[in-house]
Every structure is written in C-alpha cells, then in structure tokens.
Amino acid sequence: MSIRLILLSYSLLYSGLFADLQKGKELYHQICMTCHGHDLNGGIGPSLIDDYWKHGDQPNEIFHTISEGVYDSNMVSFKNIYSEKDRRSLVEFIIAQQKGLRSVKRYAYANDSLQNKDLSLDGLKDAKVVKEFKHPENHIYFDHNPTLITKIEANLYIPKEDTYTIDFKTNYFHGVNKIYLDGKLIDEFSSQGQVELKRQSQEIPLEAGVHKLTMLHQKHKNGHHRLFGSLISKAGLKFKLFGESMKGAAPKVISADGRAKVFRKKVHGLSPRSVLAVLPNHVILSINTEYAGIEKAWHSAKIDMTKSLAQRGAADTEIIGQVLPATIAQIKQQGHPGHIQYLASHIDGPNLNLELKIDQTPYIFTYTAKGKNGYKIIATTPNKVEALEISLHAPIKINGKIQQGKVLLKGPETQTFTIESGE
Amino acid sequence: MRLLFILLLCLTPYGFSALPEGYQLKTISLPDGGSASVLGICQKDDETMAVCTWEGEVWEYKNEKWTKFAEGLMDPNGIYWDKKENAYYVAQKPELTRLIDLDNDGIADRYENYTDRFGYTKDYHEYHFGPIVDSLGRKYATLNLSQSGLPTKGKHRDGPGWSYMRYSGDYRGWIYRSDRHGHFHPIATGFRSPAGLGISPKDELFVTDNQGDWMPACGLFFIREGGFYGHPTGLAGHPAFGKDALEKLTPDDLVGIREMPAIWFPRGEISNSPGSPVWDTTQGKFGPFQGQIFIGDQTLSNFFRCDIEWVANQYQGFCVPFMSQTQSGTVKLAFDPKGRLWSAQVGRGWNSRGGKRSAIQYLEWDGNTIPMEIYKVSLNDKGFHITFTHPVTSEAIKASLPKITSWHYHHWSKYGSPRLDLKSLPLKNWVLSEDGKSLTIETELIRNNVYKIEFPNLISNNNKKLVNNIAYYTLNKLKGDSPKVTANCGYDNTPFLKGSSWKIHDKTRILPTVVSPLSWDKTVLPLPKNAIKLDSSKWDNPNWKENEEGAIYRSKGNWKTKEQFGDARFHIEFRFDESENVKTQLYGNSGIFFMEHYEMQVLNAYENPVYADGQCGALYGQQPPLVNAARKPGQWQSYDVIMKAPRFDDKGQLLEPLRLTVYHNGILIHDDASFIGRTYHRVNPPYQKHGKLPLMIQDHAGSPVAFRNIWVVPDIDYDRELESFRLLFSSK
C-alpha cells in the first residue's frame, strides 16, 4: 500500500464514511462565509486558505476549533449548532479547498549522524533528532546553521489531478538536497562549491488529494540563504512550496471597528510621513502631512501588513479596498508658503482629530465616517486667519457646495469649514 | 544588507557559558497569541512591563496577561515609559511619538508627534532607535543611515569610493536630543546603524553600532556632544562639512577627528549585532556585578558584560561573555524592580543563532550563588589588573597562564576589518594578590589595540571552572597619556554635564564650528511695534554711561533694568574693542543675564578659542552655541533672543526650565535651548522659584566691551512665536 493510500484511508477513517463534501460546502456558505469569506480568503475572521493556521491544520485540530470556538474572539462554538457529522463535513470541505503544504514538521540532525553514508532517508534512519520544530505556517524554510541536516515532512494538498514539476532556484547553492514524494526520490542535486541554481524536477503525475512530501537538506557554510521552490502543473497551476517564508509571522490585517484608528505605515505611492485614518465605515484616508491634503482614499478597505511583516518591514504594507478619488491637494494660507506641521493624532471615539499647523496657525481637522463609503472633515481654529486656499484634485463639497480647482475661504469661513465626500 | 554578510560567517561559540551558575532564564509568552515580534521593552511600574512590536503595537504585561495599549506605529524600535508624564515614548520611523491614554481605559488615544525634524524617505534602513532618557527627562534617539542619497559617488564599496550607507535626509547617522514637543538638538554623528542606546547612572550617553562600512567591528561608543564616531556619511549634517563637502571628502580628512569606541566587540566571538547597553543598578539583586554594563546580541543570541574606566580623559574598558543561547536575538534589555534582566528578542530578517522568530525572556539571579567569572579587567602602567569573583591559587594560575593576543582595525569603506598586526604577546610577569582574587599581569602595551586575554583552564579554590574565560580589553590610551586640549583655557576637574558628557568648562571639549556671520545690514531689524527701547534711563546703575557715539561701555557693578521681565524678546548689540595681547576669558568679558540668574556669554570668540561652554553665545557652563558666528573685535555684533521664563508649581518645583532661541549675528546659535540650572563658575546650581526679574548685563574683568541699541518686547507668547522666529533671517 502506498503512503498516499494510507493517508487517504486515514482521512476516510477520521472523517467517518458519512462526511459529505457537498454538505460541508452548503454549511460553509450558510454561515462560515460571513466571517471567513466567500472563497475562504478571510474577512472578519482569518483566511482559511493562506499559509498560516493559528489553531492547527490537522483535521482533528480544525474539527476542534469549529466545535469549541476560539476564546476571546468572534469565533463561537458550533458544537451545539451543528451535529458532529455536519462539523466533520465542514472540515472535509475546508481541507478540500487547500493547496500546497500543510502540517509541516522540521527535524534537525547533527551533520556527523550520517557516519559517511550519503544523505538519504535511509542514511538518517537511525540518526538522532537533535531538534524538532512544528511550523505555525506552511512554507518551508531552513536553519542557518550549516552544522545541521534538515529533514522536512509535510502534507502536500493537490487540488487537481495533473502532471507536476517542482522548480528550484537560489543564488549561491552549496550543499545537498533530496526530495521525496510519497516515499519515492523524485529529485536530488548537490554542489561542492557555490553555484547559481535553477532547475526543474522530473515530471510527476499526481492525483488529487493528500501526498507526503519529504525533503532532506544539508547546507555547507558560505552557502545559500534560502532555497526557493514552486510546484507547477501542466495546466498552469503554480504555487510556492518553500523559500518564500513568513518565518512564523502571522498574517496581520487591520479592519475598522467602532473606534477610529491612526496608522503610520510604509505604503507604495504614499508620502513618507502620511498618516492613515481608518474610519469606522471602513474608509481609509491617507493624509499628507506636508500639504494637509488627502493623497489617497479607499472604501471597504483594510490594512494588510502580512507581506511587509514577513520581510521585516522591507516590503510595503498594502491597503486592500476600493479606491476613492484623492480630493484635497493642499491647504495653505493665502500668501504664505504652505508650511504644514503635523502635531498629533487624537482618537475621539469614532472620529480622528488631527492637529496641524497651517502656516503657523493651529487647526484641528476632525475626520468622520459618512455613510457607507464617504467621509466628512471639519476643520477649526481659534485663531483669525485672513484667507485659506484649498487646492482640489477632484470636485468635493466644501461648506455645502460642490467645488473644484482652487477654492478660497475668507473671514469666518477660515475658522470653521467642512469638507464632505460622498452623497 | 546584513543578510548577505551573515552568510559569510562561520560562527563558532567561544568560551560562552550557556548560563552562569546561579542564574536562570525564564521565557514569557509573546503578546497577540504569540504572533508578535518584539523590538523594545521597558518597565512601566512595579507590576507592568511593556513592549513595542514590529507589528507596530504596544503591549503591556501585567499579572501574566497581555493587553494592547496602542497600534498603527511604524517599526517602533524602542519604548520608554515616562512616569512623570504618564506617557510612553516610542521611536517610530517617521517620528518620535508620545502615546497618551487620556480617558484611562488602558488604550492610547493620543499619538503626539514629539519630534520629526529629521529626514525620512521610506528607505528601509532609516531606522529610528530609542529613546533613552536622562535624569532631567530629556529624550535621546539615533537615526540609522540610509541606502540611498549622498554621496552620489558612494556606489563603490572599496576605496577610493566612499561608502555604502548614505545620507537621505537631515541628521541620518546622528544621535539627537529632544527636550520637549518640537525640540530637536543634534548631538553627535559618525554612526552607521546605532541600534543600541544606553545612559549611565551619571547621565552619560553610550551607543552601540554595527560593523559595516567605516565600522570595522561593532563597539560601544561613549558619546560626547560634537563628537565624530567613524562613519563619514553623517558629516553631511555637520556645520563644518555639509552635503557638498561630503561629495569631496577623502579618507585623509577623517584622520584625527574620529573618536574611538570605549570597547570594541570582536566579531564572531562576543558580538555581531549588539543591542542596547544597560547598567546594573539593582544594588546586588542581579548578582555581584553592580555598576557594570550588560548587552545582548541580536545575531549571536548571547549576553555579555562590560565595564569601563576613565583613562586619559576618555572611557575605555573590557567585555567578557556572560551567557548564551537565548531563544532569539536580543535588541533591548531592561531591569525590573526585582533585579531581573528582561530581554526583547527578535530574529526575523537577520536570523539570530537562537533561531526563534521572537522571544521575551528574563534572566534571574538566585540571590546567593556567585559564579566563577572574570569580574574586572583594568589597565595599569605595565599591563593589566584582572580580578575574579572567587579566589584562585598561584598553582591554578600556573596551570592556566593567560594567553594574550592583540590587534587593531582598519578604518575604511569596506565592510568590517580584518584583525591587523594580530600577534601573541609575551606574559612578562605576573603577581597574584594575597587574597587570590586579583592577578596583575605584565605585557607589552600598544595604543589603539584590542587585547584578548584568555585563561585556558582556570579553576577557583572552591573548584569552580572559569567558563567565560576570555576578556577583551580595548586599549585606546595609556595611563598618563595627555588628552587633546582644544581650548586656550578651561578645566579638567569639574563635574560632568548631564547629557553632553563633557565636564563643565572642559578644556578638551570640541569647539563649535566657526561659520560666517550674516553681513551687518542683513541683521538690522525694524523695531517691532510693542518694543521698548532700553536706553540708559531704563537701567539702574549710573556707572554705565552712554558716550558720544551712543555706546555704553561695561563699567563698575552689574547693570540691571529697572523693569522686570518674564517671557520676552530681546535685541542686544555689543562690540569688543580691539585689544592687543589679551586672550582667553579676558578678551571683552561680560554676559547677558536673563532674569538675573541665567547667563549667555559675551566674550570675543574671534580667534580666541576659550572653553566651549564659555565662549561667546554659550549658555555659560552648560551649552555652547550651535556654531561660532562671531565677528572680529572692533565690529558691532548682535543677539536676537526670544525667551520663555521658567515655570514653577506652587511648591516651588520646576515645571519647565528657562528656554531660549538665539541668533548671533543673524545665525541661529540656540534652537529652543534651555538652562539646566542657574549659571555660575564651575557649577550649575538648581533652579529656585522666582517671578519676573530684570535683565542684567555683567561687569567682569577684561578688555573693554560696549553695548548699544538694546530693546525688549515684553510678555511675548514664546511657544506661539517660536516657529516664526526660527524663520527670522531665513529670507535674508
């Protein structure tokens, strides 16, 4: 019996003969979808198809999470809502949606444990494991330590029967690598010195379902840092297996709640010192603190730090959402240089107050959610200002009137004015 | 970039003990369900520790539970709890931020931009580390260099090119101080990646920096205001160099201006990426190392111990391993009130040896067991004096004679430096003290060398093995070497000034850079409409008389205004008569005493290098001017000042010091600076409560000095006028 068959029978055993994929799908779309998203890619709750399993990716772990819920979160216990059979169907459905690696385990062996044998599963049969890791995420990565041999075991979820190859690449490969699928050696390569590596494994026909992937990896000192590998199907399906590591970083996506939030993040296209206002209606405004402008805006938006965190801030944080037009280009006092100082952000319940000095006059800008995808700004100053000049990128309502281009406010209008987007 | 270089390392742990005897390492679960990565740690109160995370959050740990205090920050590399203000300070990339919970619900409502008067361009390397805080509550932080910017020729890593790390905006590569909202005072430069900041119990500043271009190894630097610590890129922000100069600098320009670190940390052996230094102020709660310095390393996942001594007007000292095998790599350390040493660790990105993505651990002493350790290494005339925590016998020393090696480093644009002139030195002689605890060794002493002293197999009398058996001493100077004197007068036996780490009237203090003043006509200002001209009728001392040209010469007795002033703006013109054979503090000495007690010096500073804190424009004995903008004797000069009087509470406690912003001949010499106390010769007595007081001009021995055209605008709103005052001469 092949390992794959064993795994499949294990899967059947655990789920009972009655677990029903179609039933699982129905139940998922009845209730789970509201939080975990139509395509399981997350929303209020975390994604169920990304690489990070907070509470474990074993079928029984998923079953436990559904049954018991998660303490101190919106995930309630479903054991009194769905029968055990239904909950198992849900597990079955969720597992069927996976692709790539799950249940990654990593073991380290001392280099000398091979005792002059070649690196192979056989050679390590009696070797002592010096370290054992369970990954909270499912991309493989390696220890830096060149004195250790790494063995990785993972379940490979194949969504569709096809012929697959594994692409490997790294800059300075220096070591030995062997990869087994369901116990069979499918690829191996080694180098005595540093080489640039780019190779493709042989073609491997794979049935849909769970396969067992094992990789042995011995790195020489001065060798590569990461080995990248992707699985590619003939039909063009491609996913990353290892190298693109999050190093244990959890996905981090920030959504609005009842309280306004203020964020400083490095986001592509935003000015370095922009301030992000996250309003309760899921509108996010990027406030340019050099011009007192709104340089970008989104509705139905979230701040996704996942990729950035995986690269320790070297990559940008992303804002996912529907783009709204940038509205205010600049606010300045007429006849002044337009010197803006950002002083503070103050969260006042659902509103965010930004304290700015505009050409040395202190203003408070209050950003408020308006409707489903709009916002309102009320600006006030206790000081007397002769005239304010507001330059607009796009038409917007100022003091109740749609305006565009350059708008001049005079007298009392400069002491309190309102800017409103949306209807 | 460090990623690449970590690849090239072959890391073999040297004589590091996993844990010294009597110490235990405990692990705390990470916040946010274990998914956070910690970048900074501080104590909040007796029960609460706080961390800041890579995710941009601040979490508090109390009764074994985590609660989130703030979010949305950008890579906050350091956190400090200000007890007095009930606020956290965090250094996030774009600004130093003060976090306040106004409604006391345990969540920050107010994110104040404390200061952002430095360049930030979204470059990944533009880290901002800190703050550390002195006993006056002033905050210090460092600014990492960038990978883009000046110099444009910096692409070549090896000489004759310049460097890899660049200047992308103001004060990258600097350490600065911020005394209050909006205040920014640059202190020193020459840093590359100054990730570790520490402040000694005496308010002296220390910074650890990371090996790379122009940083031949990692080290602990003793920071004195005005100092240059090795990496030339930050000189773009220095008034003596500037951006244009940076393009033209050659390595020769750096010879003689660079300050050496107090301690080098030999790479691969003791430290590859040092975190923040902390002083053991636990009064023995953490073991027998009271007063010594502990540092954790991010890459090697260890702690090591250092101590410093004062030799030839600077600090130098030793480091010795302490423990290894933390779960991840330490970036910050903090003691709690129980004397436990907490460590914020992160490994992601720059893989630490410990292997974990992040960890919080603390090291605790059992209160009893003294491990066998090298307690101290100090320099003497012929070699070193080494003390152990337990006595040893002469036989034990004979069986484990110290092996001594020495080397020094290149100072160049390549990444790190090999060990130069690496050699074994003979042990010429040794003497063990009667109590068996101190060993004096004699060997060859060479300046600017690192000494590695290793005891191969030393066992104490009570049969404890010396596991951490290697100490590294950085010998910059020999005992008896004379320090470089910069001033033509001054002192070396006065107290330390808080924060600047110089002594009062220090004759070795680096002098302010000489710059060109604005021409006279550019500094002439129209009389503001609320101004009062302080002609001779407004003063109380008839000895000071106006002559035909309208000048009033310094005369017998101090000269005070009859009226008293609080917050005010002043304009004062003065002139030193050209005098032959007069030098030092006698060339035209007088002083502007704001509110009678706080002196800004009036003295010829043209080709007269008196001690820095006593030259023209200095807040006397406290703060030299930012630059020396003096005109020649014989020419009229001007001070334009706005001043905020000190604020006191009902009990007479100081709430806010006297602040002032000053132009000397149209050049900004104090930017929202403050007096740390009253000004006297050699001492700075503390503030004493007072209200409005007269302006006073001092009578002092010295060659003639004249005054004229003095006016005051009383009762200004200093805080409101500060910004526009900063632009006073900018259009000229």
Side-chain angles (χ1 to χ4, degrees):
Chain A
M1 194 189 268
S2 77
I3 289 171
R4 177 159 56 87
L5 278 175
I6 295 171
L7 276 166
L8 282 176
S9 16
Y10 159 76
S11 163
L12 288 172
L13 268 177
Y14 107 84
S15 57
L17 290 166
F18 310 104
D20 179 348
L21 208 63
Q22 192 53 39
K23 180 74 182 166
K25 189 176 177 179
E26 270 168 40
L27 292 175
Y28 181 86
H29 286 283
Q30 270 170 24
I31 189 143
C32 314
M33 188 193 89
T34 25
C35 289
H36 293 285
H38 187 269
D39 301 319
L40 289 80
N41 55 0
I44 296 166
S47 166
L48 301 177
I49 49 166
D50 67 0
D51 305 303
Y52 187 80
W53 288 82
K54 227 171 165 178
H55 309 290
D57 65 349
Q58 297 286 340
N60 53 355
E61 289 168 331
I62 301 171
F63 181 76
H64 181 266
T65 310
I66 295 172
S67 301
E68 305 299 328
V70 176
Y71 175 73
D72 212 13
S73 83
N74 292 331
M75 177 74 188
V76 298
S77 156
F78 284 91
K79 71 180 167 212
N80 299 323
I81 300 171
Y82 292 136
S83 69
E84 181 177 338
K85 190 178 136 196
D86 285 350
R87 279 177 272 142
R88 292 213 183 277
S89 303
L90 265 172
V91 174
E92 195 69 349
F93 170 73
I94 290 166
I95 286 179
Q97 309 311 307
Q98 307 303 317
K99 56 178 186 178
L101 298 175
R102 289 290 170 269
S103 312
V104 179
K105 279 191 184 140
R106 184 158 60 102
Y107 306 93
Y109 301 87
N111 250 346
D112 55 12
S113 52
L114 282 170
Q115 297 176 324
N116 298 326
K117 282 178 276 182
D118 280 349
L119 179 69
S120 69
L121 276 180
D122 238 20
L124 282 175
K125 214 163 54 190
D126 303 318
K128 193 178 148 231
V129 174
V130 285
K131 263 185 180 174
E132 190 175 334
F133 311 83
K134 192 182 171 203
H135 282 222
E137 43 116 348
N138 295 298
H139 283 314
I140 294 174
Y141 61 92
F142 304 102
D143 267 340
H144 251 321
N145 195 337
T147 62
L148 296 175
I149 294 167
T150 306
K151 180 172 93 178
I152 280 155
E153 284 178 358
N155 291 338
L156 178 62
Y157 283 77
I158 295 295
K160 220 173 182 178
E161 183 179 338
D162 201 345
T163 302
Y164 290 83
T165 53
I166 302 178
D167 265 12
F168 295 96
K169 70 172 186 202
T170 193
N171 280 343
Y172 312 101
F173 186 76
H174 187 186
V176 186
N177 198 72
K178 299 205 171 179
I179 187 152
Y180 302 81
L181 207 60
D182 299 329
K184 208 178 106 194
L185 183 71
I186 57 155
D187 201 18
E188 61 179 317
F189 43 92
S190 65
S191 163
Q192 290 302 312
Q194 286 186 11
V195 289
E196 192 184 336
L197 178 88
K198 239 184 194 173
R199 66 176 284 124
Q200 216 163 43
S201 75
Q202 54 172 293
E203 293 189 339
I204 321 146
L206 290 172
E207 286 174 28
V210 188
H211 298 261
K212 181 149 183 149
L213 181 134
T214 312
M215 181 146 87
L216 299 180
H217 189 76
Q218 189 173 21
K219 179 161 47 175
H220 295 302
K221 69 176 182 187
N222 298 349
H224 51 286
H225 174 54
R226 277 194 225 167
L227 178 67
F228 296 89
S230 319
L231 190 72
I232 300 164
S233 80
K234 270 228 157 114
L237 184 72
K238 179 176 175 176
F239 48 92
K240 280 169 181 160
L241 294 180
F242 33 86
E244 282 295 314
S245 171
M246 295 202 295
K247 280 254 146 152
K252 185 98 184 164
V253 182
I254 309 292
S255 298
D257 54 40
R259 197 169 176 264
K261 297 170 194 269
V262 57
F263 269 70
R264 309 297 293 276
K265 292 290 164 194
K266 189 173 83 137
V267 177
H268 180 73
L270 301 189
S271 57
R273 286 192 163 102
S274 58
V275 172
L276 292 166
V278 183
L279 301 178
N281 63 347
H282 300 269
V283 164
I284 296 179
L285 305 175
S286 169
I287 298 150
N288 181 312
T289 53
E290 272 176 85
Y291 298 104
I294 291 187
E295 56 187 10
K296 270 196 173 174
W298 301 260
H299 71 85
S300 315
K302 290 185 269 196
I303 296 177
D304 187 352
M305 298 162 62
T306 308
K307 277 190 194 158
S308 170
L309 286 172
Q311 295 188 44
R312 70 202 183 277
D316 284 355
T317 291
E318 295 165 311
I319 297 180
I320 307 160
Q322 306 299 311
V323 175
L324 289 165
T327 47
I328 305 159
Q330 188 185 21
I331 304 179
K332 63 190 277 286
Q333 290 193 37
Q334 196 184 28
H336 287 72
H339 178 61
I340 310 292
Q341 279 173 282
Y342 163 64
L343 302 177
S345 293
H346 185 144
I347 297 162
D348 183 12
N351 303 330
L352 181 71
N353 295 337
L354 231 66
E355 297 172 16
L356 298 171
K357 272 188 183 173
I358 300 179
D359 292 311
Q360 291 164 43
T361 303
Y363 271 91
I364 295 177
F365 281 68
T366 302
Y367 299 84
T368 307
K370 190 187 154 210
K372 226 178 143 192
N373 51 21
Y375 55 90
K376 181 171 163 182
I377 309 166
I378 303 166
T380 55
T381 178
N383 294 19
K384 282 226 166 86
V385 173
E386 271 182 38
L388 270 188
E389 212 173 270
I390 306 178
S391 310
L392 298 173
H393 284 304
I396 195 163
K397 211 185 272 178
I398 300 180
N399 289 339
K401 220 169 102 190
I402 300 272
Q403 301 273 16
Q404 57 186 338
K406 212 170 251 182
V407 183
L408 204 63
L409 300 182
K410 284 194 164 173
E413 273 197 321
T414 61
Q415 282 193 287
T416 306
F417 59 92
T418 308
I419 303 176
E420 284 170 276
S421 87
E423 293 75 53
Chain B
M1 262 306 102
R2 267 152 84 174
L3 278 178
L4 279 177
F5 294 102
I6 285 165
L7 269 183
L8 305 174
L9 297 175
C10 172
L11 306 172
T12 337
Y14 268 70
F16 255 96
S17 74
L19 268 180
E21 207 192 350
Y23 288 82
Q24 257 197 312
L25 189 62
K26 301 223 169 116
T27 305
I28 302 293
S29 68
L30 290 165
D32 207 6
S35 69
S37 299
V38 293
L39 293 175
I41 189 161
C42 72
Q43 185 204 326
K44 182 185 183 187
D45 54 42
D46 284 356
E47 283 121 39
T48 317
M49 296 297 283
V51 297
C52 55
T53 71
W54 216 314
E55 290 75 16
E57 296 173 345
V58 172
W59 288 79
E60 293 179 343
Y61 185 73
K62 188 177 183 175
N63 300 327
E64 298 182 10
K65 267 197 183 142
W66 287 106
T67 47
K68 185 158 76 178
F69 179 78
E71 65 180 340
L73 307 167
M74 196 194 297
D75 297 6
N77 263 296
I79 180 162
Y80 173 82
W81 171 255
D82 193 312
K83 264 184 248 169
K84 231 167 118 185
E85 299 176 12
N86 236 8
Y88 285 106
Y89 283 79
V90 287
Q92 51 171 335
K93 272 184 173 164
E95 67 184 34
L96 180 66
T97 308
R98 181 158 78 153
L99 300 171
I100 311 166
D101 172 16
L102 287 170
D103 56 7
N104 273 319
D105 64 350
I107 300 166
D109 322 291
R110 198 171 159 78
Y111 293 61
E112 271 176 19
N113 173 8
Y114 201 68
T115 189
D116 65 356
R117 291 170 60 191
F118 53 83
Y120 170 62
T121 65
K122 287 170 90 172
D123 183 282
Y124 160 64
H125 285 265
E126 288 170 334
Y127 285 113
H128 184 198
F129 300 102
I132 50 166
V133 182
D134 69 18
S135 59
L136 297 172
R138 304 180 297 179
K139 318 292 183 286
Y140 301 81
T142 55
L143 297 160
N144 206 104
L145 290 176
S146 176
Q147 267 192 335
S148 56
L150 300 173
T152 47
K153 67 179 175 189
K155 283 163 199 150
H156 316 286
R157 299 189 78 143
D158 310 335
W162 197 240
S163 60
Y164 194 72
M165 299 302 282
R166 321 272 192 87
Y167 196 75
S168 55
D170 288 352
Y171 299 112
R172 303 301 328 179
W174 283 71
I175 178 168
Y176 71 86
R177 191 181 81 220
S178 185
D179 297 358
R180 65 164 186 157
H181 204 280
H183 176 260
F184 183 95
H185 180 77
I187 292 196
T189 191
F191 302 110
R192 179 180 169 275
S193 188
L197 290 90
I199 194 153
S200 78
K202 287 194 281 179
D203 275 341
E204 299 150 328
L205 300 175
F206 287 82
V207 162
T208 62
D209 206 336
N210 281 269
Q211 175 176 311
D213 44 341
W214 301 105
M215 273 296 157
C218 300
L220 176 72
F221 292 85
F222 168 51
I223 307 306
R224 287 192 279 199
E225 187 165 343
F228 167 69
Y229 294 90
H231 200 296
T233 292
L235 293 174
H238 194 290
F241 294 87
K243 289 175 186 164
D244 293 342
L246 183 63
E247 298 280 7
K248 293 178 215 132
L249 274 180
T250 70
D252 290 344
D253 296 326
L254 307 176
V255 176
I257 63 167
R258 165 191 177 218
E259 305 288 329
M260 300 296 270
I263 308 174
W264 288 115
F265 303 141
R267 188 169 181 84
E269 298 190 21
I270 196 147
S271 172
N272 287 15
S273 328
S276 61
V278 288
W279 273 253
D280 181 352
T281 51
T282 64
Q283 314 280 357
K285 286 182 199 158
F286 188 67
F289 307 109
Q290 170 73 15
Q292 297 196 350
I293 306 164
F294 287 86
I295 302 176
D297 191 78
Q298 197 272 331
T299 314
L300 302 188
S301 301
N302 63 21
F303 291 1
F304 52 99
R305 184 165 52 83
C306 311
D307 203 4
I308 46 175
E309 57 181 338
W310 192 250
V311 177
N313 199 47
Q314 60 174 37
Y315 280 120
Q316 62 189 40
F318 75 95
C319 55
V320 62
F322 191 63
M323 61 86 75
S324 62
Q325 296 177 20
T326 56
Q327 282 197 340
S328 186
T330 296
V331 285
K332 297 279 177 333
L333 292 174
F335 278 106
D336 74 6
K338 290 181 182 148
R340 303 181 299 190
L341 183 57
W342 289 67
S343 150
Q345 302 169 25
V346 71
R348 197 173 66 224
W350 304 300
N351 291 11
S352 65
R353 187 182 280 168
K356 279 255 162 87
R357 171 178 47 78
S358 182
I360 301 171
Q361 296 185 292
Y362 65 76
L363 194 58
E364 190 175 25
W365 186 51
D366 67 8
N368 182 33
T369 316
I370 308 276
M372 173 59 180
E373 299 285 345
I374 296 170
Y375 175 70
K376 196 169 194 149
V377 181
S378 52
L379 184 70
N380 60 30
D381 293 342
K382 289 181 177 170
F384 298 95
H385 192 71
I386 300 155
T387 20
F388 303 102
T389 51
H390 288 285
V392 294
T393 59
S394 294
E395 286 67 38
I397 296 287
K398 261 179 222 158
S400 177
L401 286 176
K403 289 195 252 172
I404 309 163
T405 44
S406 76
W407 67 85
H408 61 103
Y409 294 116
H410 275 303
H411 181 228
W412 61 4
S413 63
K414 289 189 186 180
Y415 186 98
S417 163
R419 296 175 182 185
L420 304 175
D421 301 323
L422 177 66
K423 55 180 176 283
S424 291
L425 295 174
L427 176 65
K428 290 184 189 162
N429 195 9
W430 60 272
V431 182
L432 187 66
S433 68
E434 243 174 65
D435 67 0
K437 277 180 144 183
S438 302
L439 178 71
T440 307
I441 60 172
E442 208 175 292
T443 188
E444 193 186 334
L445 297 178
I446 318 155
R447 289 182 190 87
N448 295 321
N449 264 248
V450 179
Y451 279 73
K452 176 175 174 177
I453 304 166
E454 179 175 4
F455 294 89
N457 193 22
L458 189 62
I459 314 280
S460 72
N461 292 358
N462 51 3
N463 210 25
K464 293 185 181 196
K465 188 173 190 290
L466 181 68
V467 182
N468 294 318
N469 61 342
I470 306 172
Y472 304 87
Y473 187 93
T474 298
L475 196 163
N476 293 324
K477 297 278 180 198
L478 295 175
K479 294 226 155 175
D481 278 355
S482 346
K484 201 165 94 188
V485 172
T486 53
N488 60 13
C489 57
Y491 298 86
D492 58 9
N493 57 354
T494 39
F496 265 117
L497 277 168
K498 289 175 195 301
S500 77
S501 304
W502 296 102
K503 291 174 174 173
I504 297 175
H505 314 324
D506 200 320
K507 63 184 178 189
T508 64
R509 183 167 184 159
I510 294 163
L511 298 174
T513 303
V514 175
V515 299
S516 305
L518 291 187
S519 63
W520 177 259
D521 55 328
K522 284 184 180 160
T523 62
V524 173
L525 296 168
L527 195 67
K529 52 178 190 256
N530 307 325
I532 303 166
K533 277 207 83 146
L534 295 173
D535 57 38
S536 44
S537 70
K538 303 283 193 328
W539 299 78
D540 71 344
N541 184 345
N543 295 335
W544 294 53
K545 285 192 186 76
E546 195 171 324
N547 66 12
E548 318 78 70
E549 63 152 345
I552 302 162
Y553 273 88
R554 185 197 63 219
S555 299
K556 194 170 165 47
N558 295 331
W559 195 43
K560 274 188 219 174
T561 57
K562 292 174 186 163
E563 197 178 331
Q564 303 191 332
F565 301 104
D567 303 348
R569 174 173 170 188
F570 297 101
H571 174 86
I572 298 154
E573 293 174 16
F574 55 94
R575 185 187 65 194
F576 309 106
D577 282 6
E578 280 180 276
S579 308
E580 298 260 328
N581 303 322
V582 193
K583 281 249 153 62
T584 68
Q585 286 280 339
L586 293 175
Y587 204 148
N589 199 333
S590 179
I592 311 295
F593 278 69
F594 299 103
M595 309 193 89
E596 274 189 278
H597 298 296
Y598 313 95
E599 182 191 8
M600 182 163 74
Q601 180 69 290
V602 174
L603 184 79
N604 171 36
Y606 182 83
E607 294 178 354
N608 182 27
V610 300
Y611 49 82
D613 65 27
Q615 79 161 55
C616 204
L619 310 185
Y620 187 69
Q622 299 184 10
Q623 181 67 54
L626 292 169
V627 288
N628 176 350
R631 292 201 180 103
K632 280 185 188 176
Q635 298 181 6
W636 282 101
Q637 314 198 37
S638 64
Y639 281 149
D640 282 284
V641 184
I642 53 169
M643 185 206 95
K644 185 180 186 184
R647 303 296 199 259
F648 300 89
D649 66 12
D650 297 343
K651 291 175 193 143
Q653 287 294 312
L654 181 74
L655 295 174
E656 233 191 301
L658 187 148
R659 297 184 195 284
L660 71 180
T661 299
V662 182
Y663 287 91
H664 181 196
N665 296 327
I667 303 292
L668 188 70
I669 60 162
H670 293 291
D671 184 357
D672 198 23
S674 53
F675 282 95
I676 55 176
R678 295 183 174 199
T679 53
Y680 281 89
H681 191 52
R682 299 174 62 111
V683 284
N684 293 302
Y687 277 92
Q688 284 170 31
K689 188 175 178 171
H690 59 75
K692 286 186 175 182
L693 287 171
L695 178 71
M696 183 176 98
I697 296 183
Q698 186 192 27
D699 177 21
H700 191 287
S703 61
V705 46
F707 295 87
R708 73 171 187 196
N709 190 26
I710 302 172
W711 48 259
V712 56
V713 183
D715 302 320
I716 61 161
D717 183 337
Y718 176 89
D719 291 334
R720 245 179 98 174
E721 290 199 14
L722 178 57
E723 270 311 305
S724 48
F725 196 71
R726 277 184 181 132
L727 304 170
L728 186 64
F729 293 104
S730 64
S731 57
K732 306 240 172 169

